[in-house]
Structures are given as C-alpha cells and as structure tokens.
Amino acid sequence: NNYVNGKKGKNENGITLVKLYKATLEGENWTNIQALSFTSDSFSTAHPTLSPDEKTLYFASDMPGTLGMSDIFKVQINEDGSFGTPVNLGPSLNTEGRETFPFVSQDNELYFASDGHPGVGGLDIFMTKINEDGSLNKVQNIGMDANSPKDDFAYIIDSKSRRGFLSSNRDGGLGYDDIYKFLETKRLICEQELYGEITDVDSKIALPNAKVTLFDNKMNVLKTTNADQNGAYTFLVECSKMYTVRAEKENYNTNEKQVTIAKENGKTYLPIALEKDQCKVTIGDDLGKCFGIQNIYFDLDKSNIRTEAALDLEKILDVLNQYPAMKLDIRSHTDSRASFKYNEALSDRRAKSTISWLVKNGINPDRLTGKGYGESQLVNRCADNVTCTEEEHQMNRRSEFIITAL
C-alpha cells in the first residue's frame, strides 16, 4: 500500500492505492525505503518481477496509457539504478480486461493472469515467450489443471525443476485465496534439441572450441556457444521454425547451414564440416573469390540487400574484423541488358548498399570505397545485340571486393 513512515498517500478521491517500492537490506534491517520514480498517488503499480538479466522490471498498473482495467508494463533499469520510461506491452498481450501478476522465468517466459483473454474461469494464467528483440510470441492459456472455473493467478515456476506455485480461490481450498504447488509435466512450447558436430571436411576429425552461432530466419543472432572437446554443440530451439547455424574456427573457412525444425518435440541433427582456409590474399586480389562469392544478390531492378546476400557479406565482414588494416574497393557489375546509363546507376546503388551494410555492421567507412561499373567491364562477348545464354550473362553480373590495403 502507498504507506511509508506512518504517512498514507491518497489520490484525489481520498483512496490509498498500491505502489511499488524498493529497499536496501543492511544486516537484518531494511533501509532506504523509497517509491520507484515512475509511481504516483493517482494510479496503482504492483506485482514487480525482474527479467533473467535483471535489466528490465515488469509490473502491473492502471497508469495512463493502460488499455483496460490494468495492463502489464515493462521499464528499463539503468546501470546507475535509475529507471527509464514505462512501456505498455501492447494489445497482443493487454486487453480491455485485467492483466496482472506478471512473472518472468529464467527461460524468458512471461506468465500473467488475465480475465480478458479467453479462459476457463475468472482470472486465468497465460504465457508468452519474450524474444531476444523484446517482441512477444502468441499468448497461450496454460490450460487445466493450472486454471480452474475460479480465479487463478500469481504463477511462478523454476525453469529447471519445472516445479512452482500459484494462487487460487478454486473450490476445495482452506480459505478465500490459497497457495498451491505443482509440477509441470508437459511443456507449453514445443521445443527441440538442435545438435551436431563440427568436423574437418577432409580428415573428419572433430574441431573442439569451434564457435557456433544460431540465427533466426531474419539472421538475428539468437545464441552463441563453443563446441566441446568432441566438436559437439547443442541449442534449444522451437518447433516448426527455420534457423541458420554458422560454424567458425581459426584457419578454417566459415560454413553455414539452414534447417527447419519439425513440428513435434524431439531432436534435430545438423553436423557441419569446415574446409581449411587455403586462401592467401594480397593487395589487388578479389577477397570474394576466397569464399566463392561471385555475386551479391539483389532483387531484380532493386538495390536492397537480400537474405542470401547478407550471408555472403557476413563472410566479408568476418575477414575485415580479423584484419583491421584491410581496405576494400567494392565494385558492382551488370550484364549488357537494359541501357548503359540505367545499368551504371543500378550497379552504383548496389555497390553503395553493400558498403552501407558493412558500415552498419561496424566497419569504419574509411576502409571502404565502391563504385558501380554497369556493363562497362564485361568479361565475355555478351555486349548489346549479341545473343548469349543466361549462364553467359550471369558471368557479367558480379560483385568484386578488391583489397587495396593490408
């Protein structure tokens, strides 16, 4: 309650509301009790829970901006202990009813109670997964027997043992609201173990300590690990989703594989073999040839980086990070189809898009130059009005990464 040191805080109607406080434990005494900066006498804030990294506080409130009777909010905790501006978790989670009692597990699963989502009683317990980028997965009712025809709320669970507690006023209790313990016997989210070994492509021997990175279908980094002494790695992934796994090892070429996880719980095996790095480059060489990169692919008549292009550019980025003195001149070429002026402009935009992608990913722009050459440097006979196959035209549609400094 909004009540500290014998003093009641009241709103304009003389009602004492609920407020969030923090305190410091010194020995056996709580000291420095103070209300959090975003609280108020005119609305309630309640049910605090921390994210696993303790950098975000989730809570329930009916503060201005609430969509219903009460909503779930989050607020950033700054390094100095101050708080940012509370953010409503939005209409995919919050309804016109009550959303309250949030709890975030060590697996970044957000559990909360609601009477606004479809349920089996009054307040029901729901769950959504918090993604790496802060977005939320679809809200799920956790079902019977956790939920009952009455009010069920204040759910907490240990991510390892899958044991926890909830509160309820269901029939059969000893009082009005009782605390119940439970063991979760079936996971709400369909998950699989994605596993494999990183090996040398020729000798087939394991490559211990290889760096293994898991990406989502938009090439956002989800997790990174190192292969064990047997070259083995594992990731916990969600069913039905597509992932990319990248394996890296010193003196080896980076390799990536895409995989789509099955719809049922289980395991998916994805071994990755790496080739030894045989490519030694000097000034004037085309770095792209080391990785077999002939062309950075763009959609027809466009200059935005496609997913396939980003996969190849990641390899260029990795080398630039390994060799901080290296500089590149990025050259984009087209075939002879379309006008000379159009091809020159299009290829120039593509070269600049490639540079922008590398700069966005941390490369100093002083290390990069680039230009589009259109159809001015054809590598074969396929000039205007010459009949050529699609394969012959493809040879002219190329991207070059010429090393200008080492």
Side-chain angles (χ1 to χ4, degrees):
N1 289 321
N2 184 1
Y3 188 94
V4 176
N5 296 327
K7 181 181 179 182
K8 287 184 180 180
K10 298 180 180 180
N11 67 6
E12 57 185 9
N13 297 320
I15 298 173
T16 299
L17 301 174
V18 179
K19 209 170 190 178
L20 288 179
Y21 296 83
K22 68 175 181 178
T24 303
L25 183 63
E26 294 183 357
E28 296 182 355
N29 297 314
W30 289 103
T31 63
N32 192 28
I33 300 170
Q34 54 183 293
L36 301 189
S37 58
F38 53 85
T39 61
S40 170
D41 290 343
S42 61
F43 55 78
S44 288
T45 48
H47 312 312
T49 183
L50 286 170
S51 61
D53 63 8
E54 300 190 357
K55 294 181 180 179
T56 305
L57 178 73
Y58 293 82
F59 63 96
S61 179
D62 60 352
M63 64 172 55
T66 300
L67 304 178
M69 296 174 64
S70 66
D71 284 359
I72 308 297
F73 290 79
K74 67 178 180 180
V75 63
Q76 180 179 329
I77 303 174
N78 301 317
E79 290 188 5
D80 63 0
S82 63
F83 292 86
T85 301
V87 176
N88 189 298
L89 293 192
S92 66
L93 185 143
N94 291 314
T95 69
E96 294 181 355
R98 289 182 296 164
E99 278 69 48
T100 185
F101 290 100
F103 169 76
V104 182
S105 74
Q106 289 297 310
D107 293 333
N108 265 324
E109 296 167 337
L110 171 59
Y111 296 87
F112 63 98
S114 171
D115 61 8
H117 290 278
V120 298
L123 283 173
D124 269 16
I125 300 161
F126 296 83
M127 188 274 289
T128 181
K129 187 71 177 281
I130 304 172
N131 298 314
E132 294 282 336
D133 61 0
S135 62
L136 303 175
N137 286 357
K138 184 179 179 181
V139 169
Q140 299 181 60
N141 187 305
I142 69 170
M144 308 285 277
D145 295 309
N147 288 318
S148 72
K150 298 294 183 68
D151 288 329
D152 307 285
F153 53 95
Y155 180 101
I156 65 171
I157 187 170
D158 177 76
S159 294
K160 292 184 179 179
S161 69
R162 308 311 295 178
R163 295 183 181 274
F165 302 90
L166 62 85
S167 297
S168 178
N169 64 352
R170 65 185 64 193
D171 294 339
L174 301 179
Y176 185 71
D177 290 332
D178 286 359
I179 299 173
Y180 294 81
K181 66 179 180 179
F182 64 84
L183 170 65
E184 182 190 76
T185 56
K186 182 181 179 182
R187 297 296 297 268
L188 290 170
I189 297 177
C190 177
E191 293 181 317
Q192 280 210 17
E193 180 183 302
L194 176 60
Y195 73 106
E197 300 86 31
I198 312 301
T199 58
D200 183 295
V201 70
D202 296 317
S203 68
K204 306 297 189 293
I205 64 170
L207 298 178
N209 298 315
K211 180 182 177 181
V212 190
T213 306
L214 180 71
F215 298 85
D216 65 14
N217 63 347
K218 296 181 180 178
M219 291 308 294
N220 296 310
V221 175
L222 299 178
K223 299 173 185 175
T224 299
T225 189
N226 288 98
D228 67 14
Q229 60 185 10
N230 299 313
Y233 74 92
T234 59
F235 291 115
L236 193 63
V237 296
E238 292 187 37
C239 301
S240 303
K241 289 194 173 184
M242 187 177 77
Y243 298 90
T244 296
V245 179
R246 175 187 298 158
E248 302 170 77
K249 179 75 173 176
E250 189 176 356
N251 299 322
Y252 283 85
N253 291 329
T254 298
N255 192 12
E256 293 167 339
K257 283 190 176 182
Q258 285 187 336
V259 61
T260 299
I261 306 302
K263 297 179 180 179
E264 307 85 22
N265 290 88
K267 295 183 177 183
T268 297
Y269 182 55
L270 186 69
I272 301 178
L274 301 182
E275 291 183 342
K276 284 191 175 179
D277 182 8
Q278 303 295 336
C279 186
K280 305 298 181 183
V281 292
T282 60
I283 293 175
D285 288 346
D286 182 1
L287 183 59
K289 290 183 178 179
C290 282
F291 304 105
I293 302 172
Q294 295 179 330
N295 194 16
I296 296 299
Y297 288 95
F298 299 85
D299 287 323
L300 185 64
D301 296 335
K302 294 183 179 179
S303 57
N304 53 300
I305 300 294
R306 281 169 46 173
T307 301
E308 307 95 295
L311 291 174
D312 280 336
L313 286 176
E314 287 275 2
K315 300 169 186 175
I316 301 294
L317 177 66
D318 187 49
V319 175
L320 286 169
N321 285 327
Q322 289 182 47
Y323 300 94
M326 180 182 285
K327 294 184 178 181
L328 293 180
D329 183 39
I330 296 166
R331 304 172 185 179
S332 178
H333 303 270
T334 69
D335 60 37
S336 61
R337 292 175 291 188
S339 71
F340 186 95
K341 183 176 181 181
Y342 177 85
N343 283 333
E344 187 176 52
L346 176 63
S347 63
D348 199 57
R349 290 200 304 275
R350 289 178 170 179
K352 287 179 169 55
S353 290
T354 303
I355 291 174
S356 295
W357 188 95
L358 291 167
V359 171
K360 182 180 177 182
N361 284 274
I363 301 302
N364 190 317
D366 293 341
R367 300 173 62 191
L368 305 170
T369 57
K371 180 181 177 181
Y373 291 85
E375 58 183 275
S376 65
Q377 296 185 5
L378 301 177
V379 297
N380 56 25
R381 62 186 180 85
C382 299
D384 290 339
N385 303 316
V386 176
T387 301
C388 289
T389 65
E390 184 60 37
E391 289 75 18
E392 288 175 315
H393 281 304
Q394 177 64 61
M395 293 175 65
N396 291 313
R397 296 197 301 273
R398 64 197 192 279
S399 300
E400 297 172 326
F401 298 84
I402 306 302
I403 299 171
T404 59
L406 277 173

